[in-house]
Amino acid sequence: MTLIAILCFYTAIFSLISYIQIQFLEKQKLKKAFILEDEAYKNAANIAIENEKFKIFSNFYTLIINMLWIAFGFFYLKKILIHSNSILENTLFLLLFLIITSLLNLPLNLYENFVKNKKQGFSNMTLMLFIKDGIKSLILLVIFGFLILYALLFFYNYFGAFWWIIAFIFSFVVILIINVIYPILIAPLFNKMQKLNDENLLNQITSLMHKCGFNANGIYVIDASKRDKRLNAYFGGLFKSKRVVLFDTLLKALSQKELLAVLGHELGHFVHKDIIKFLFINALVMFILFFLFANLPNFVYEESHLTDVDAGVFLLLLIFGNVFSFIVAPLVNLLSRNNEFNADQYGAKMTSKNDMKSALITLAKENKAFVKSSRIYTFFHLSHPSISDRLKALD
Protein backbone atom coordinates (compact mmCIF):
# COMPACT_ATOMS: atom_id res chain seq x y z
CA MET A 1 0.00 0.00 0.00
CA THR A 2 1.30 3.42 -1.02
CA LEU A 3 0.26 5.24 2.16
CA ILE A 4 1.90 2.73 4.50
CA ALA A 5 5.02 2.75 2.29
CA ILE A 6 5.23 6.56 2.66
CA LEU A 7 4.92 6.31 6.46
CA CYS A 8 7.54 3.55 6.61
CA PHE A 9 9.97 5.55 4.46
CA TYR A 10 9.43 8.67 6.58
CA THR A 11 9.99 6.74 9.83
CA ALA A 12 13.10 5.05 8.42
CA ILE A 13 14.67 8.37 7.38
CA PHE A 14 13.72 9.99 10.69
CA SER A 15 15.24 7.08 12.64
CA LEU A 16 18.36 7.02 10.47
CA ILE A 17 19.04 10.67 11.34
CA SER A 18 18.63 9.84 15.03
CA TYR A 19 20.99 6.87 14.62
CA ILE A 20 23.62 9.14 12.99
CA GLN A 21 23.20 11.56 15.90
CA ILE A 22 23.69 8.73 18.42
CA GLN A 23 26.93 7.65 16.70
CA PHE A 24 28.10 11.27 16.70
CA LEU A 25 27.35 11.62 20.43
CA GLU A 26 29.10 8.33 21.27
CA LYS A 27 32.29 9.62 19.63
CA GLN A 28 32.05 13.11 21.09
CA LYS A 29 31.62 11.95 24.69
CA LEU A 30 35.00 10.19 24.50
CA LYS A 31 36.73 13.46 23.59
CA LYS A 32 38.04 16.05 26.01
CA ALA A 33 35.22 17.96 27.70
CA PHE A 34 34.70 21.62 26.88
CA ILE A 35 32.19 24.26 28.01
CA LEU A 36 30.85 21.76 30.57
CA GLU A 37 32.91 20.01 33.22
CA ASP A 38 33.99 16.43 32.48
CA GLU A 39 31.22 14.63 34.39
CA ALA A 40 28.50 17.03 33.23
CA TYR A 41 29.78 16.74 29.64
CA LYS A 42 29.52 12.92 29.60
CA ASN A 43 26.19 12.97 31.45
CA ALA A 44 24.73 15.41 28.90
CA ALA A 45 25.94 13.17 26.06
CA ASN A 46 24.37 10.10 27.67
CA ILE A 47 21.07 11.94 28.19
CA ALA A 48 21.06 13.07 24.54
CA ILE A 49 21.72 9.48 23.41
CA GLU A 50 18.90 8.15 25.59
CA ASN A 51 16.54 10.81 24.22
CA GLU A 52 17.33 9.84 20.64
CA LYS A 53 16.76 6.14 21.37
CA PHE A 54 13.40 7.03 22.91
CA LYS A 55 12.61 9.13 19.85
CA ILE A 56 13.35 6.18 17.53
CA PHE A 57 11.10 3.90 19.61
CA SER A 58 8.34 6.55 19.69
CA ASN A 59 8.48 6.94 15.90
CA PHE A 60 8.10 3.20 15.31
CA TYR A 61 5.31 3.03 17.90
CA THR A 62 3.49 5.87 16.09
CA LEU A 63 4.11 4.13 12.75
CA ILE A 64 2.41 0.95 13.99
CA ILE A 65 -0.59 2.92 15.33
CA ASN A 66 -0.99 4.82 12.03
CA MET A 67 -0.65 1.61 10.01
CA LEU A 68 -3.42 0.05 12.08
CA TRP A 69 -5.64 3.09 11.52
CA ILE A 70 -5.11 2.92 7.76
CA ALA A 71 -5.37 -0.89 7.52
CA PHE A 72 -8.66 -1.30 9.41
CA GLY A 73 -9.11 1.32 12.18
CA PHE A 74 -10.82 3.92 10.00
CA PHE A 75 -12.99 1.20 8.42
CA TYR A 76 -14.47 0.12 11.75
CA LEU A 77 -14.78 3.67 13.11
CA LYS A 78 -16.60 4.62 9.91
CA LYS A 79 -18.90 1.62 10.30
CA ILE A 80 -19.80 2.66 13.86
CA LEU A 81 -20.19 6.44 13.40
CA ILE A 82 -20.84 7.37 9.76
CA HIS A 83 -24.42 6.71 8.60
CA SER A 84 -25.70 9.88 6.91
CA ASN A 85 -22.23 11.52 6.60
CA SER A 86 -23.53 14.56 8.49
CA ILE A 87 -21.27 17.29 9.90
CA LEU A 88 -21.99 16.08 13.44
CA GLU A 89 -21.08 12.46 12.62
CA ASN A 90 -17.84 13.54 10.97
CA THR A 91 -16.97 15.85 13.85
CA LEU A 92 -17.43 12.98 16.31
CA PHE A 93 -15.34 10.75 14.00
CA LEU A 94 -12.43 13.22 14.15
CA LEU A 95 -12.81 13.85 17.86
CA LEU A 96 -12.92 10.16 18.71
CA PHE A 97 -9.82 9.58 16.55
CA LEU A 98 -7.94 12.26 18.53
CA ILE A 99 -9.09 10.86 21.90
CA ILE A 100 -8.18 7.26 21.00
CA THR A 101 -4.79 8.36 19.66
CA SER A 102 -4.14 10.27 22.90
CA LEU A 103 -5.00 7.18 24.95
CA LEU A 104 -2.74 5.00 22.77
CA ASN A 105 0.11 7.48 23.36
CA LEU A 106 -0.44 7.31 27.14
CA PRO A 107 2.23 4.57 27.70
CA LEU A 108 4.84 6.77 25.99
CA ASN A 109 3.87 9.78 28.12
CA LEU A 110 3.98 7.73 31.32
CA TYR A 111 7.41 6.31 30.48
CA GLU A 112 8.77 9.73 29.53
CA ASN A 113 7.53 11.46 32.68
CA PHE A 114 7.99 8.75 35.30
CA VAL A 115 10.94 6.71 34.01
CA LYS A 116 13.13 8.59 31.54
CA ASN A 117 12.82 12.12 32.93
CA LYS A 118 13.03 10.89 36.55
CA LYS A 119 16.19 8.94 35.74
CA GLN A 120 17.71 11.99 34.03
CA GLY A 121 16.93 14.15 37.08
CA PHE A 122 14.37 16.44 35.45
CA SER A 123 10.88 15.31 36.40
CA ASN A 124 9.07 16.33 39.58
CA MET A 125 5.79 15.04 38.16
CA THR A 126 3.46 13.18 40.52
CA LEU A 127 0.83 10.68 39.39
CA MET A 128 -1.97 12.89 40.75
CA LEU A 129 -0.67 15.93 38.85
CA PHE A 130 -0.29 13.84 35.69
CA ILE A 131 -3.93 12.69 35.99
CA LYS A 132 -5.16 16.25 36.63
CA ASP A 133 -3.24 17.56 33.59
CA GLY A 134 -4.67 14.75 31.48
CA ILE A 135 -8.26 15.48 32.54
CA LYS A 136 -7.87 19.23 31.89
CA SER A 137 -6.32 18.57 28.46
CA LEU A 138 -9.13 16.16 27.60
CA ILE A 139 -11.80 18.69 28.59
CA LEU A 140 -10.13 21.38 26.45
CA LEU A 141 -9.89 18.91 23.54
CA VAL A 142 -13.54 17.89 23.78
CA ILE A 143 -14.91 21.46 24.07
CA PHE A 144 -12.65 23.49 21.78
CA GLY A 145 -11.70 20.55 19.57
CA PHE A 146 -15.37 19.87 18.84
CA LEU A 147 -16.08 23.52 17.95
CA ILE A 148 -13.02 23.89 15.70
CA LEU A 149 -13.56 20.56 13.93
CA TYR A 150 -17.26 21.28 13.43
CA ALA A 151 -16.39 24.63 11.84
CA LEU A 152 -13.83 23.04 9.49
CA LEU A 153 -16.32 20.41 8.37
CA PHE A 154 -18.97 23.11 7.87
CA PHE A 155 -16.57 24.92 5.50
CA TYR A 156 -15.87 21.62 3.72
CA ASN A 157 -19.59 21.06 3.15
CA TYR A 158 -20.74 24.55 2.18
CA PHE A 159 -17.88 26.31 0.36
CA GLY A 160 -17.38 23.98 -2.60
CA ALA A 161 -13.99 23.58 -4.27
CA PHE A 162 -12.51 26.53 -2.38
CA TRP A 163 -13.40 25.25 1.10
CA TRP A 164 -9.71 24.82 1.91
CA ILE A 165 -9.01 28.56 1.56
CA ILE A 166 -11.73 29.40 4.11
CA ALA A 167 -10.50 26.54 6.34
CA PHE A 168 -6.94 27.86 6.14
CA ILE A 169 -7.99 31.42 7.06
CA PHE A 170 -10.10 30.10 9.94
CA SER A 171 -7.24 27.88 11.23
CA PHE A 172 -4.76 30.76 11.10
CA VAL A 173 -7.17 33.04 12.99
CA VAL A 174 -7.64 30.30 15.61
CA ILE A 175 -3.85 30.11 16.06
CA LEU A 176 -3.71 33.89 16.55
CA ILE A 177 -6.53 33.76 19.11
CA ILE A 178 -4.79 30.92 21.01
CA ASN A 179 -1.59 33.00 21.10
CA VAL A 180 -3.54 35.92 22.54
CA ILE A 181 -5.45 33.99 25.20
CA TYR A 182 -2.80 31.38 26.11
CA PRO A 183 -0.94 33.35 28.84
CA ILE A 184 -4.18 34.77 30.26
CA LEU A 185 -6.60 31.83 30.18
CA ILE A 186 -4.88 28.55 29.26
CA ALA A 187 -1.49 28.62 31.03
CA PRO A 188 -3.07 29.46 34.44
CA LEU A 189 -5.18 26.29 34.17
CA PHE A 190 -1.99 24.24 34.49
CA ASN A 191 0.38 26.49 36.43
CA LYS A 192 0.07 28.94 39.28
CA MET A 193 1.03 32.31 37.83
CA GLN A 194 2.03 35.19 40.11
CA LYS A 195 3.40 38.64 39.46
CA LEU A 196 7.15 38.97 40.07
CA ASN A 197 7.52 40.41 43.58
CA ASP A 198 11.29 41.07 43.56
CA GLU A 199 11.21 44.86 43.30
CA ASN A 200 14.84 45.24 42.25
CA LEU A 201 14.62 42.59 39.51
CA LEU A 202 11.25 43.96 38.39
CA ASN A 203 12.77 47.42 37.91
CA GLN A 204 15.76 45.98 36.03
CA ILE A 205 13.52 43.99 33.66
CA THR A 206 11.15 46.94 33.14
CA SER A 207 14.10 49.20 32.34
CA LEU A 208 15.45 46.67 29.84
CA MET A 209 12.05 46.36 28.15
CA HIS A 210 11.64 50.13 27.88
CA LYS A 211 15.11 50.35 26.34
CA CYS A 212 13.93 47.90 23.65
CA GLY A 213 10.54 49.56 23.14
CA PHE A 214 8.64 46.54 24.47
CA ASN A 215 5.46 46.96 26.52
CA ALA A 216 4.20 43.97 28.49
CA ASN A 217 1.02 43.41 30.45
CA GLY A 218 2.94 42.30 33.53
CA ILE A 219 5.96 40.15 34.47
CA TYR A 220 4.95 36.79 35.91
CA VAL A 221 6.53 33.74 37.56
CA ILE A 222 5.05 30.25 37.12
CA ASP A 223 5.59 27.23 39.34
CA ALA A 224 7.15 25.11 36.56
CA SER A 225 9.27 23.23 39.12
CA LYS A 226 6.26 21.20 40.27
CA ARG A 227 6.55 19.32 36.97
CA ASP A 228 10.08 19.76 35.68
CA LYS A 229 13.48 21.15 36.71
CA ARG A 230 14.43 22.58 33.31
CA LEU A 231 14.91 26.32 32.91
CA ASN A 232 12.91 28.51 30.58
CA ALA A 233 11.29 31.90 30.03
CA TYR A 234 9.03 33.18 27.30
CA PHE A 235 7.14 36.23 26.13
CA GLY A 236 3.58 34.98 25.81
CA GLY A 237 0.62 36.46 24.02
CA LEU A 238 0.14 39.03 21.29
CA PHE A 239 -0.91 42.67 21.24
CA LYS A 240 -2.18 43.82 24.67
CA SER A 241 -2.04 40.30 26.14
CA LYS A 242 1.78 40.19 26.00
CA ARG A 243 3.35 38.88 29.22
CA VAL A 244 6.86 38.09 30.36
CA VAL A 245 6.70 34.62 31.92
CA LEU A 246 9.63 33.34 33.99
CA PHE A 247 9.96 29.76 35.23
CA ASP A 248 10.67 29.64 38.96
CA THR A 249 13.55 27.27 38.11
CA LEU A 250 15.14 30.04 36.03
CA LEU A 251 15.04 32.52 38.92
CA LYS A 252 16.76 30.02 41.23
CA ALA A 253 19.54 29.00 38.82
CA LEU A 254 20.56 32.24 37.06
CA SER A 255 22.19 35.33 38.45
CA GLN A 256 20.41 38.63 37.84
CA LYS A 257 22.85 39.57 35.07
CA GLU A 258 22.39 36.19 33.36
CA LEU A 259 18.62 36.47 33.63
CA LEU A 260 18.66 39.94 32.05
CA ALA A 261 20.83 38.58 29.23
CA VAL A 262 18.30 35.79 28.58
CA LEU A 263 15.47 38.34 28.50
CA GLY A 264 17.61 40.55 26.27
CA HIS A 265 17.80 37.60 23.87
CA GLU A 266 14.00 37.21 23.93
CA LEU A 267 13.58 40.94 23.38
CA GLY A 268 15.88 40.58 20.37
CA HIS A 269 13.20 38.41 18.76
CA PHE A 270 10.68 41.21 19.39
CA VAL A 271 12.94 43.96 17.98
CA HIS A 272 13.80 41.87 14.89
CA LYS A 273 10.09 41.06 14.43
CA ASP A 274 10.89 37.32 14.44
CA ILE A 275 7.49 36.40 15.90
CA ILE A 276 5.63 38.20 13.10
CA LYS A 277 7.97 36.68 10.48
CA PHE A 278 7.33 33.19 11.75
CA LEU A 279 3.60 33.75 11.90
CA PHE A 280 3.71 34.49 8.17
CA ILE A 281 6.04 31.55 7.49
CA ASN A 282 3.67 29.26 9.37
CA ALA A 283 0.76 30.76 7.45
CA LEU A 284 2.51 29.97 4.16
CA VAL A 285 3.26 26.39 5.26
CA MET A 286 -0.35 25.94 6.39
CA PHE A 287 -1.65 27.35 3.09
CA ILE A 288 0.42 24.86 1.06
CA LEU A 289 -0.59 22.04 3.41
CA PHE A 290 -4.31 22.77 3.01
CA PHE A 291 -3.93 23.07 -0.77
CA LEU A 292 -2.11 19.73 -1.07
CA PHE A 293 -4.53 17.80 1.11
CA ALA A 294 -7.57 19.38 -0.56
CA ASN A 295 -6.34 17.92 -3.86
CA LEU A 296 -5.38 14.39 -2.86
CA PRO A 297 -6.02 11.66 -5.48
CA ASN A 298 -8.94 9.27 -4.90
CA PHE A 299 -6.76 6.21 -4.27
CA VAL A 300 -5.59 7.80 -1.00
CA TYR A 301 -9.14 7.66 0.37
CA GLU A 302 -9.69 4.17 -1.01
CA GLU A 303 -6.53 2.79 0.63
CA SER A 304 -7.43 4.30 4.00
CA HIS A 305 -11.13 3.27 3.84
CA LEU A 306 -12.16 6.92 3.98
CA THR A 307 -14.12 7.12 0.73
CA ASP A 308 -17.32 9.18 1.15
CA VAL A 309 -16.22 10.38 4.58
CA ASP A 310 -16.03 14.18 4.80
CA ALA A 311 -13.66 13.95 7.75
CA GLY A 312 -11.22 11.92 5.64
CA VAL A 313 -9.17 14.86 4.39
CA PHE A 314 -8.62 16.11 7.95
CA LEU A 315 -7.72 12.64 9.26
CA LEU A 316 -5.12 12.24 6.52
CA LEU A 317 -3.80 15.72 7.25
CA LEU A 318 -3.37 14.77 10.92
CA ILE A 319 -1.47 11.59 10.04
CA PHE A 320 0.59 12.78 7.07
CA GLY A 321 1.06 16.41 8.07
CA ASN A 322 4.27 15.45 9.89
CA VAL A 323 5.71 14.08 6.64
CA PHE A 324 5.18 17.45 4.97
CA SER A 325 6.56 19.29 8.03
CA PHE A 326 9.67 17.10 7.90
CA ILE A 327 10.25 18.14 4.27
CA VAL A 328 9.99 21.89 4.95
CA ALA A 329 11.71 21.73 8.38
CA PRO A 330 15.30 22.27 7.10
CA LEU A 331 14.44 25.65 5.60
CA VAL A 332 12.31 26.77 8.56
CA ASN A 333 14.99 25.61 11.03
CA LEU A 334 17.72 27.42 9.08
CA LEU A 335 15.80 30.69 9.38
CA SER A 336 15.10 29.99 13.06
CA ARG A 337 18.77 29.29 13.89
CA ASN A 338 19.77 32.51 12.15
CA ASN A 339 17.20 34.38 14.27
CA GLU A 340 18.65 32.79 17.42
CA PHE A 341 22.17 33.96 16.55
CA ASN A 342 20.87 37.48 15.96
CA ALA A 343 18.88 37.42 19.22
CA ASP A 344 22.04 36.34 21.11
CA GLN A 345 23.90 39.29 19.62
CA TYR A 346 21.09 41.61 20.67
CA GLY A 347 21.04 40.17 24.20
CA ALA A 348 24.80 40.72 24.43
CA LYS A 349 24.38 44.29 23.18
CA MET A 350 21.65 45.07 25.73
CA THR A 351 23.63 43.58 28.64
CA SER A 352 27.14 42.31 27.87
CA LYS A 353 28.78 39.56 25.84
CA ASN A 354 30.12 37.90 28.99
CA ASP A 355 26.69 37.88 30.64
CA MET A 356 25.14 36.37 27.50
CA LYS A 357 27.82 33.67 27.30
CA SER A 358 27.53 32.94 31.01
CA ALA A 359 23.74 32.64 30.72
CA LEU A 360 24.00 30.22 27.79
CA ILE A 361 26.51 28.04 29.68
CA THR A 362 24.33 28.00 32.80
CA LEU A 363 21.27 27.06 30.74
CA ALA A 364 23.23 24.22 29.13
CA LYS A 365 24.44 22.97 32.52
CA GLU A 366 21.04 23.10 34.21
CA ASN A 367 19.16 21.65 31.23
CA LYS A 368 21.91 19.02 30.76
CA ALA A 369 22.08 19.87 27.08
CA PHE A 370 25.00 18.47 25.11
CA VAL A 371 27.19 21.16 23.60
CA LYS A 372 27.40 19.89 19.99
CA SER A 373 25.25 18.28 17.34
CA SER A 374 25.96 16.53 14.04
CA ARG A 375 25.44 18.55 10.87
CA ILE A 376 22.69 16.34 9.47
CA TYR A 377 20.79 16.39 12.77
CA THR A 378 21.14 20.17 12.98
CA PHE A 379 19.97 20.49 9.37
CA PHE A 380 16.75 18.51 9.90
CA HIS A 381 15.83 19.03 13.53
CA LEU A 382 17.39 21.97 15.35
CA SER A 383 15.50 25.25 15.49
CA HIS A 384 18.17 26.48 17.95
CA PRO A 385 21.92 26.21 17.28
CA SER A 386 24.05 24.08 19.60
CA ILE A 387 25.58 25.84 22.59
CA SER A 388 29.10 25.61 21.09
CA ASP A 389 27.92 27.28 17.85
CA ARG A 390 26.18 30.03 19.81
CA LEU A 391 29.27 30.76 21.90
CA LYS A 392 31.46 30.82 18.78
CA ALA A 393 29.07 33.26 17.11
CA LEU A 394 29.22 35.58 20.14
CA ASP A 395 33.02 35.61 19.88
Side-chain angles (χ1 to χ4, degrees):
M1 292 176 70
T2 307
L3 297 182
I4 289 176
I6 290 169
L7 289 175
C8 288
F9 181 73
Y10 160 72
T11 304
I13 295 296
F14 204 98
S15 300
L16 177 62
I17 294 167
S18 286
Y19 175 77
I20 292 169
Q21 175 72 350
I22 289 169
Q23 297 306 305
F24 172 84
L25 293 165
E26 292 283 8
K27 290 177 182 176
Q28 290 296 317
K29 77 174 184 179
L30 299 176
K31 295 182 179 180
K32 186 179 179 181
F34 70 108
I35 299 175
L36 303 176
E37 294 174 1
D38 189 57
E39 188 179 345
Y41 180 86
K42 288 180 180 176
N43 187 41
N46 287 329
I47 286 173
I49 290 167
E50 188 176 5
N51 288 341
E52 288 309 311
K53 288 179 179 177
F54 178 70
K55 196 181 290 182
I56 291 171
F57 177 82
S58 299
N59 285 326
F60 277 100
Y61 183 84
T62 302
L63 171 64
I64 292 167
I65 289 173
N66 288 335
M67 285 170 64
L68 292 174
W69 276 117
I70 291 167
F72 59 82
F74 290 142
F75 173 80
Y76 285 108
L77 204 60
K78 174 183 173 181
K79 204 171 181 180
I80 294 166
L81 285 175
I82 305 298
H83 303 294
S84 62
N85 202 25
S86 67
I87 294 176
L88 179 60
E89 286 177 354
N90 280 276
T91 303
L92 293 174
F93 193 127
L94 277 164
L95 199 58
L96 194 55
F97 164 78
L98 290 172
I99 292 169
I100 292 170
T101 302
S102 297
L103 291 173
L104 290 172
N105 284 326
L106 194 57
L108 291 179
N109 293 331
L110 285 166
Y111 178 84
E112 186 172 20
N113 280 283
F114 294 102
V115 179
K116 185 174 75 68
N117 286 351
K118 293 273 187 189
K119 178 185 170 186
Q120 293 174 356
F122 290 123
S123 179
N124 289 326
M125 180 70 76
T126 64
L127 184 58
M128 184 55 67
L129 184 58
F130 184 84
I131 292 169
K132 284 180 180 177
D133 284 351
I135 292 170
K136 289 175 186 176
S137 298
L138 183 62
I139 291 168
L140 289 173
L141 174 63
V142 170
I143 296 172
F144 294 104
F146 179 87
L147 294 173
I148 292 167
L149 294 172
Y150 193 94
L152 290 170
L153 283 157
F154 176 83
F155 302 141
Y156 182 86
N157 274 267
Y158 291 100
F159 284 88
F162 298 102
W163 70 266
W164 61 274
I165 297 176
I166 308 299
F168 153 72
I169 294 168
F170 171 77
S171 300
F172 186 66
V173 170
V174 167
I175 289 171
L176 287 178
I177 291 169
I178 290 171
N179 273 283
V180 171
I181 68 171
Y182 179 81
I184 301 169
L185 299 176
I186 301 174
L189 291 175
F190 295 90
N191 287 95
K192 189 177 179 181
M193 193 174 282
Q194 295 180 315
K195 286 197 171 184
L196 179 66
N197 56 19
D198 183 329
E199 200 68 35
N200 179 45
L201 181 58
L202 185 64
N203 290 334
Q204 293 282 343
I205 294 172
T206 304
S207 175
L208 180 65
M209 290 193 302
H210 285 166
K211 201 189 298 185
C212 302
F214 182 86
N215 294 313
N217 185 24
I219 301 165
Y220 292 82
V221 180
I222 62 169
D223 57 343
S225 59
K226 72 181 182 182
R227 289 184 182 82
D228 198 278
K229 295 176 184 176
R230 293 178 182 91
L231 316 184
N232 202 3
Y234 65 89
F235 287 6
L238 292 170
F239 315 118
K240 291 185 178 181
S241 76
K242 291 197 297 284
R243 287 184 177 187
V244 179
V245 181
L246 309 172
F247 283 26
D248 56 352
T249 51
L250 191 78
L251 291 174
K252 291 172 188 173
L254 266 61
S255 69
Q256 189 175 102
K257 287 183 178 180
E258 289 172 339
L259 180 61
L260 290 172
V262 169
L263 293 177
H265 166 98
E266 296 300 331
L267 286 164
H269 288 305
F270 163 74
V271 171
H272 300 145
K273 295 181 171 54
D274 292 338
I275 297 167
I276 294 171
K277 289 176 192 172
F278 265 85
L279 276 173
F280 281 106
I281 289 170
N282 287 330
L284 177 61
V285 170
M286 279 178 60
F287 182 84
I288 297 169
L289 198 60
F290 270 97
F291 169 76
L292 290 174
F293 279 83
N295 293 282
L296 290 173
N298 288 331
F299 82 87
V300 174
Y301 296 99
E302 290 167 5
E303 282 192 12
S304 55
H305 307 288
L306 290 169
T307 308
D308 299 323
V309 178
D310 291 348
V313 63
F314 301 106
L315 289 162
L316 292 167
L317 195 153
L318 287 168
I319 288 179
F320 289 92
N322 285 337
V323 178
F324 177 78
S325 298
F326 181 74
I327 294 167
V328 301
L331 177 59
V332 176
N333 286 337
L334 178 65
L335 296 171
S336 177
R337 289 194 300 273
N338 185 58
N339 289 342
E340 293 302 321
F341 283 130
N342 291 335
D344 283 346
Q345 296 289 349
Y346 189 84
K349 179 184 171 184
M350 288 295 102
T351 53
S352 78
K353 185 172 78 171
N354 287 336
D355 290 340
M356 192 72 246
K357 288 173 71 176
S358 177
L360 290 172
I361 292 168
T362 302
L363 286 170
K365 284 179 181 176
E366 295 295 325
N367 290 336
K368 300 176 185 178
F370 193 63
V371 295
K372 294 181 76 177
S373 180
S374 66
R375 288 185 180 181
I376 189 168
Y377 191 84
T378 300
F379 179 76
F380 279 102
H381 289 313
L382 294 192
S383 60
H384 286 56
S386 67
I387 183 69
S388 59
D389 287 342
R390 294 175 76 171
L391 293 175
K392 282 178 190 174
L394 282 168
D395 285 330

